[in-house]
Amino acid sequence: MIIHNISQLLTLAGGPQRGADLGNLGLLSHAAVLIRGGIIETIGPENILLQTYPNEPRFDAGGRVVMPAFVDPHTHLVWAGDRAAEFELRLQGKTYQEIAAAGGGIRSTVRATRAASVEELKAQARPRIQAMLRHGTATAEAKTGYALQHPGELHQLQALLELDAEEEMDIFPTYLGAHDIPPEFEDNPDGYVDLLCTQMLPEVREWWQSHAPGRPLPFVDVFCETIAFNLAQSRRILETARALGFPLKIHADEFDNLGGAALAAELGVVSADHLVKTSPQDIAALAASETVAVSLPCTPFGLADPHYTPAAQILQAGGLLALATDLNPGTAWCESMQFVIALACRYLRLTPAQAIAAATINAAAAIGQAGRIGSLEAGKQADLLILAVSDYRHLGYRFGGNLAAHLFKRGELIY
């Protein structure tokens, strides 16, 4: 079909946008999009496409913005239970670290997730997926990490594979067995690292090859922080995963600057995420690499923390910057990339154009999919979002509502 009557067509063409180039929307006026077989066949002047293909089905965009669907490159989509009580504790002055030390935090969700079946995990995740779709996200990365023992982590991987097959969203799984030190290894963190490297990661690879034959291996991630895994432990986990053929991600510099971002650049990690306390030296290392810096502004917002990713410094250094929700039960239960954009404009000081690029083409790069999604170009998957407004700058300007009017996935209208 041909999507026409578009006020602003944001193509984001040309690949991931680095440094000062961030914010090139590839904006076209009086343009239309021809989709066939779930793929964008061509983009061109509306009058020419309508004349050239007079019998093609048409979809009237109503004089509104058409842009690539959002890509969310960092979520913890599958978990059981909630942590509303912890939110109240934080309002009473307890820190994230104090709550974790008292048995709350990630470990609270671990207890609930270990007790849940695959079907229960899927049932709790589905409303979150539907909320993401309603707000314009067509593709998401999603992590395990809420079991911290072998059967439960595999249950989460199984749930993610089944949700990917059953739901309209494309889901790219990440194995995050190194999300925290499990309670059983509280006094022996190196013992858990040994278990991860010698048994769990090799068994995950074997399990994946039998349960998802022909599909690329999932990402492997590690939470490199003082309260989780130190730099040496993180290096060992990532190097072991890389030797097994897994693509890599890392949580780094959310609370402390341990050198995780520089490690990511050294090891060719696909993305380094959080990056709140990242040093100028680590920023320079990231900017000299292909690693995408993924900012998660919902997380400091959820913690009422005034410190955010130093986006200006990352861009000045020439880095690749992306945005994600960090959807999780503890600090950022938010399914809306639109709200992420609003936060990024205010606290990262991005323009709406920069934030949109960080939430589409650069976000696609953060999951290794920039060649397939994240922009509107001939040959790419037809994942399109039609906004309920005629000017793209309403993204960022407005917040708390939903500006998604229509969402197309592989050329099919799904919302």
Side-chain angles (χ1 to χ4, degrees), residues 73-76 96 106 141 143-144 146 174-176 178-179 220-225 228-229 234 238 248-256 258-261 263-264 269 271-275 294 296 299 326 328:
H74 183 127
T75 82
H76 300 259
Y96 182 97
I106 290 171
E141 180 265 11
K143 305 176 192 297
T144 70
Y146 285 131
T174 292
Y175 178 77
L176 184 55
H179 198 188
V220 166
D221 198 344
V222 60
F223 192 17
C224 181
E225 288 286 348
F229 297 88
S234 299
L238 292 176
L248 308 177
K249 285 179 166 282
I250 190 171
H251 287 58
D253 303 337
E254 181 179 2
F255 303 113
D256 299 295
L258 302 186
L263 177 65
V269 172
S271 76
D273 304 6
H274 283 295
L275 305 181
V294 179
L296 312 172
T299 309
D326 195 19
N328 75 77

Side-chain angles (χ1 to χ4, degrees), residues 112-189:
T113 303
R114 285 182 176 182
S117 68
V118 171
E119 286 304 317
E120 288 169 337
L121 292 173
K122 288 165 56 182
Q124 293 194 43
R126 280 198 174 95
R128 300 191 275 268
I129 292 172
Q130 292 304 312
M132 294 170 79
L133 291 167
R134 287 196 303 272
H135 286 85
T137 298
T139 303
E141 180 265 11
K143 305 176 192 297
T144 70
Y146 285 131
L148 305 181
Q149 38 99 304
H150 207 41
E153 291 294 304
L154 295 181
H155 282 166
Q156 289 174 83
L157 273 182
Q158 183 66 44
L160 289 170
L161 283 173
E162 293 182 15
L163 288 166
D164 180 55
E166 296 164 5
E167 300 293 325
E168 291 161 320
M169 178 180 288
D170 282 339
I171 297 173
F172 287 82
T174 292
Y175 178 77
L176 184 55
H179 198 188
D180 196 6
I181 308 297
E184 298 87 347
F185 289 84
E186 185 171 5
D187 298 322
N188 184 21

Side-chain angles (χ1 to χ4, degrees), residues 27 29 32 49 54 65 133 147 160 190 203 237 241-242 269 323 343 368 373 395 409:
L27 192 154
S29 300
L49 260 64
V65 174
L133 291 167
L160 289 170
D190 284 332
E203 289 177 12
I237 292 165
R242 185 176 64 173
V269 172
L323 294 171
L343 291 178
I373 57 174
L395 285 174
K409 183 69 181 178

Side-chain angles (χ1 to χ4, degrees), residues 201-215:
L201 285 171
E203 289 177 12
V204 167
R205 186 177 188 274
E206 182 179 344
W207 181 93
W208 184 270
Q209 290 173 333
S210 64
H211 287 74
R215 182 166 175 162

